[in-house]
Amino acid sequence: MLERLSNSAAETWARAQDAAGQILAPSVRLGVTGLSRSGKTVFITSLVHNLLAGNALPFFEPLAQKRIVKAYLEPQPDDAVPRFDYEANLAKLTGPAPEWPEGTRHISELRLTLEFSPTAMMRRALGTKTMHLDIVDYPGEWLLDLPLLDLTYEEWSRQSISQAREAVRASAAKDWLNFLSTTNAVAKKDEQVAKKGAEIFTQYLRKCREESLSLSSLPPGRFLMPGDMAGSPAFTFFPLETPDNAMVPRNSLWSMMERRYRAYKTHVVVPFYRDHFARLDRQIVLADVLTVVNAGAAAVEDLERALTDVLRCYRQGQNAWHSLFTGRRIDRIVFAATKADHLHHTNHDRLEAILQLIAKKSIQRASFSGADVRAFALASVRVTSEAEAKYGNDRLPCIVGVPVKGERLGSRMFDGKEQLAIFPGDLPEDPALALTPEWLDSGAGSAHFVRFRPQKQIGLEFGQSAVLQHIRLDRALNFLIGDKLS
Ligand SMILES: Nc1nc2c(ncn2[C@@H]2O[C@H](COP(=O)(O)OP(=O)(O)OP(=O)(O)O)[C@@H](O)[C@H]2O)c(=O)[nH]1
Ligand SMILES: [Mg+2]
């Protein structure tokens, strides 16, 4: 396996280009990832829009200090990666009938160029400087594949089967475990069994991802998020119980699965690592933490496991495969809890504290050091406002918004026009309490969440430009790139 990991000519060329470009105008490659529906597309669209429009980002120091002279989009440096469809996404969010952008299934990239005046007097005297911000949007499912590079097929099979037997996965895993119990690993290889097994295994992973379970750690990532190679043999495998026999026949199902697992790593995981992951400077990992908290203790634990795995990928020098690539070094990582506008502002700090605690535990579990890791709670696009509702003698802090058509709350179904004020519930002040199984599984955490529509921009009909409201986007941005603009 390892010899296949050696640097390819393409990688060397990409790096030479990177290095040459750095001299003319430095670039920062920012990876934006998170599981499906975590809010990557909306995050990038809002971030770029707010920077291009010079909107209020009071905690983004370079802008607050009026040092950003110009911001504009430029063609991206990587010809083989699709461009992030910024214009279409923005048009959806800010059109006359605003909608959320479509889900995305591929990696994409966008280059935003910033001209800025440096902070130091001496450097400022030399004029403005230019920095390219290359934003790379890729599925978190692919990132969670990187740990597979350290696992043999046998180790991965053992791990996957023992996870499938965990109580929380019991109902989702039933069909898959039944199939496994009737499958003989040393029987003759059979393409139809391979196909069927991969299908049932994928269905199981899909069920684990559904909102009621909201599990995060579900490799192989391309089973859920295939990209371009869907249906190829490298995708047609599944875990098997380790056979007792010392000698496994070469034409057995086990050997076939083992070879395909290796092919998956060679043709899918390694190229992703080499061409994208190893070239990043900064990383933000988005997570829909509220949905995870709502799903209960097992989902939170799985998020923690996923973040631990993510951090292990960044432990440079400690992974066997890491040393084979001379990648850039990620020195700042943000974990962000998205959609904070589902909570009243009095709960934003609490949500952030919960994610901070999850991150802290993950850092410990991964024995991670080497990059500065921060946690933020944010809403890339704020679509709710706040109000107080009288309830008996109490006044409840509510959020107000227009639920997406077809959303339900109890027996009520929404038409996409009606406005709703709900009390979304309170997170505990002490984050440690919020992470106890007692609280998570007591139902106390299951706030009433519905998806809200983006709001119509006021003033558009008078020719004013759109302003995407956000919550704390500027703080995350300042940590991610503020220092590069000093
Ligand atoms: N209220 C609120 N909802 C948000 C916000 N960001 C994202 N959402 C919701 O989350 C959904 C998914 O957001 P996307 O940005 O498309 O998520 P993604 O990670 O790009 O998803 P995939 O492309 O499917 O992987 C949206 O359709 C919205 O319903 C936010 O800031 N506030
Ligand atoms: Mg997307």
Side-chain angles (χ1 to χ4, degrees):
M1 175 69 195
L2 288 183
E3 68 275 15
R4 307 246 190 117
L5 291 170
S6 62
N7 291 5
S8 68
E11 185 215 356
T12 313
W13 173 240
R15 288 202 196 298
Q17 279 187 315
D18 277 1
Q22 290 294 338
I23 298 165
L24 299 172
S27 70
V28 173
R29 285 179 83 83
L30 169 65
V32 178
T33 197
L35 295 181
S36 166
R37 310 274 82 201
S38 56
K40 303 177 287 293
T41 303
V42 175
F43 172 81
I44 297 173
T45 308
S46 180
L47 182 105
V48 171
H49 172 71
N50 278 299
L51 281 173
L52 286 178
N55 286 340
L57 296 168
F59 286 93
F60 180 49
E61 286 165 15
L63 197 65
Q65 294 164 355
K66 301 198 169 30
R67 291 189 296 102
I68 305 275
V69 180
K70 231 169 158 185
Y72 46 93
L73 294 176
E74 280 198 291
Q76 71 200 43
D78 299 287
D79 294 333
V81 181
R83 182 177 180 274
F84 178 85
D85 201 354
Y86 168 69
E87 292 77 7
N89 294 328
L90 183 70
K92 280 214 134 181
L93 281 167
T94 58
E99 296 290 345
W100 294 110
E102 311 277 320
T104 33
R105 296 284 164 267
H106 292 272
I107 191 159
S108 66
E109 184 176 334
L110 190 70
R111 168 166 280 194
L112 175 73
T113 299
L114 296 165
E115 287 178 21
F116 65 100
S117 44
T119 38
M121 286 274 266
M122 288 287 283
R123 286 167 62 214
R124 205 178 318 153
L126 296 173
T128 57
K129 293 188 76 183
T130 302
M131 187 192 85
H132 302 301
L133 179 63
D134 292 321
I135 305 174
V136 185
D137 170 358
Y138 67 93
E141 287 81 356
W142 299 4
L143 178 60
L144 289 169
D145 265 352
L146 294 185
L148 300 186
L149 291 175
D150 285 329
L151 299 177
T152 63
Y153 174 66
E154 185 177 332
E155 288 164 341
W156 173 71
S157 285
R158 282 221 181 94
Q159 188 175 307
S160 306
I161 294 169
S162 100
Q163 270 178 17
R165 293 197 171 123
E166 286 171 10
V168 58
R169 299 186 181 214
S171 68
K174 196 164 156 258
D175 291 347
W176 150 244
L177 289 174
N178 280 343
F179 175 84
L180 186 69
S181 65
T182 58
T183 306
N184 180 0
V186 291
K188 192 163 173 268
K189 66 183 175 193
D190 180 339
E191 188 62 56
Q192 292 316 310
V193 177
K195 254 179 95 175
K196 180 112 198 283
E199 253 169 52
I200 299 183
F201 187 65
T202 307
Q203 276 163 18
Y204 147 67
L205 296 177
R206 254 191 224 121
K207 283 185 202 153
C208 290
R209 191 175 61 173
E210 280 168 10
E211 201 159 299
S212 55
L213 288 181
S214 283
L215 300 178
S216 311
S217 182
L218 304 165
R222 304 278 172 143
F223 282 29
L224 294 177
M225 209 37 90
D228 298 325
M229 288 175 67
S232 64
F235 282 38
T236 317
F237 66 94
F238 55 88
L240 280 170
E241 301 270 19
T242 313
D244 298 329
N245 331 26
M247 291 290 289
V248 177
R250 286 187 63 186
N251 67 347
S252 63
L253 189 62
W254 173 273
S255 301
M256 181 193 203
M257 295 292 100
E258 191 175 29
R259 199 176 57 248
R260 288 187 176 179
Y261 173 80
R262 279 208 306 267
Y264 181 80
K265 295 208 291 187
T266 310
H267 298 301
V268 177
V269 188
V270 170
F272 165 70
Y273 180 80
R274 182 189 61 211
D275 300 338
H276 304 296
F277 180 80
R279 294 172 60 209
L280 298 174
D281 300 295
R282 302 271 159 104
Q283 176 69 60
I284 179 164
V285 181
L286 306 178
D288 189 346
V289 176
L290 279 174
T291 303
V292 172
V293 165
N294 256 357
V300 171
E301 194 180 309
D302 208 60
L303 175 66
E304 211 179 291
R305 174 154 62 189
L307 295 188
T308 306
D309 283 346
V310 167
L311 287 174
R312 287 201 176 115
C313 301
Y314 296 107
R315 277 190 324 192
Q316 303 227 341
Q318 293 186 37
N319 301 326
W321 33 276
H322 241 307
S323 54
L324 295 164
F325 302 101
T326 49
R328 296 178 177 196
R329 192 168 178 283
I330 290 193
D331 55 354
R332 290 191 180 189
I333 302 170
V334 165
F335 290 142
T338 50
K339 313 178 194 178
D341 57 332
H342 283 271
L343 291 174
H344 192 264
H345 74 269
T346 44
N347 273 270
H348 293 162
D349 279 342
R350 297 181 185 187
L351 178 62
E352 199 160 288
I354 291 172
L355 185 61
Q356 254 156 20
L357 189 57
I358 295 176
K360 196 171 150 203
K361 288 177 166 189
S362 303
I363 289 170
Q364 277 163 2
R365 275 168 63 166
S367 315
F368 180 78
S369 63
D372 202 351
V373 185
R374 299 272 171 92
F376 294 91
L378 56 85
S380 312
V381 175
R382 177 181 203 156
V383 299
T384 62
S385 52
E386 296 186 348
E388 274 197 344
K390 264 186 93 173
Y391 187 75
N393 288 332
D394 289 334
R395 300 189 79 83
L396 293 180
C398 292
I399 56 165
V400 183
V402 178
V404 169
K405 190 172 173 194
E407 273 303 274
R408 283 174 182 280
L409 193 62
S411 57
R412 209 160 142 198
M413 188 180 327
F414 295 94
D415 60 2
K417 295 183 189 132
E418 192 185 350
Q419 210 179 44
L420 172 77
I422 53 169
F423 171 60
D426 272 326
L427 296 167
E429 221 175 312
D430 175 7
L433 173 64
L435 295 185
T436 55
E438 292 73 33
W439 187 80
L440 285 165
D441 291 340
S442 67
S446 31
H448 311 291
F449 293 126
V450 289
R451 289 191 310 134
F452 290 106
R453 281 185 59 175
Q455 287 173 8
K456 194 166 167 208
Q457 301 286 316
I458 302 158
L460 277 187
E461 49 280 70
F462 306 112
Q464 291 170 7
S465 51
V467 175
L468 290 176
Q469 305 286 346
H470 63 87
I471 297 169
R472 300 185 180 188
L473 186 68
D474 47 351
R475 297 187 202 207
L477 184 64
N478 195 53
F479 177 69
L480 283 169
I481 60 163
D483 62 315
K484 298 279 187 187
L485 297 163
S486 59

